[in-house]
Amino acid sequence: MADAIYVIDDDLDLAQSLARLFGRHGLEAHAFADPAGLPSVQRGGEGGLCIVTDIMLGDDNGFDVAQSIRAWAPSAAVLFMTAWPHTADAVDAIRRHGGIDYLEKPIDEERLLRSVSEGLVWSRERTLAARAIERLSAREREVLGLVADGKSSKAIANVLGLSLKTVEDHRAAIRAKTGAHLLEDYVRLWRAL
């Protein structure tokens, strides 16, 4: 499935203008004045999903919208935009609400396109990692977490009360199911979990 971008702004003209900008760059984009319409357009597949949302949405708060989006689309990348920038909001947007970027209006189109591109890549990678993790057993997930934490097979065996051979078997199963070979692969998968 193709990537998609959902633009949410209570100024529908602005949302549609940004959607057209993305369209001119070959990206599928949809404009919404009300975040309530988003759950009806849930997506499946392996394409990335990027949400570009205003922080002030009439009676709604863009941060609350981001939290609800995470409930039905945990792999969606979220970019926040605002006409009333505050340092505290910028920090919250990134640290507390998992935003990819915090953009001030009027929007710098080049920065927006760059951030959305990064968000779509992030979303696709997260979606693929989450699907790979779904194939793992509960014990394999435990082993994955310990490997991602930098523990050796011997240390994992001690922590879980398993034989070294059993841990090596679990690691082989993780590699076969996810394609993870390097420590960074394990860390990336664990973060997606």
Side-chain angles (χ1 to χ4, degrees):
M1 178 162 286
D3 294 333
I5 304 158
Y6 298 155
V7 183
I8 312 164
D9 197 302
D10 53 358
D11 177 351
L12 186 57
D13 288 337
L14 176 62
Q16 290 173 334
S17 173
L18 292 177
R20 285 191 300 274
L21 169 70
F22 296 128
R24 286 193 304 271
H25 286 85
L27 300 166
E28 177 187 339
H30 306 276
F32 299 87
D34 182 357
L38 285 175
S40 65
V41 291
Q42 290 184 32
R43 298 166 44 85
E46 296 178 0
L49 176 59
C50 188
I51 310 293
V52 179
T53 184
D54 194 2
I55 291 176
M56 292 187 218
L57 296 166
D59 293 335
D60 291 313
N61 174 311
F63 295 135
D64 294 337
V65 169
Q67 294 301 83
S68 67
I69 289 168
R70 294 273 187 244
W72 59 264
S75 296
V78 180
L79 280 75
F80 295 100
M81 57 184 175
T82 185
W84 309 100
H86 300 288
T87 303
D89 283 346
V91 170
D92 282 351
I94 305 304
R95 295 184 81 200
R96 291 184 57 212
H97 302 288
I100 299 294
D101 204 348
Y102 179 86
L103 305 165
E104 296 179 22
K105 295 177 182 177
I107 300 294
D108 175 339
E109 291 181 2
E110 286 183 29
R111 179 175 172 185
L112 174 65
L113 289 166
R114 196 170 43 250
S115 294
V116 165
S117 177
E118 291 170 9
L120 290 170
V121 168
W122 180 90
S123 177
R124 282 190 304 269
E125 288 175 352
R126 185 145 176 136
T127 298
L128 291 172
R131 290 220 172 100
I133 288 171
E134 287 174 0
R135 294 190 295 264
L136 301 179
S137 69
R139 180 63 85 183
E140 289 165 350
R141 288 180 190 177
E142 283 181 295
V143 171
L144 170 66
L146 293 167
V147 172
D149 197 33
K151 299 216 178 324
S152 67
S153 292
K154 185 175 181 180
I156 294 169
N158 288 335
V159 168
L160 298 178
L162 301 173
S163 71
L164 184 58
K165 169 122 177 57
T166 300
V167 171
E168 290 297 330
D169 288 345
H170 286 308
R171 288 183 73 158
I174 293 167
R175 280 191 300 276
K177 293 177 181 179
T178 67
H181 293 283
L182 304 173
L183 178 59
E184 66 189 43
D185 298 330
Y186 286 88
V187 171
R188 177 182 47 80
L189 287 169
W190 186 246
R191 284 185 181 157
L193 183 61

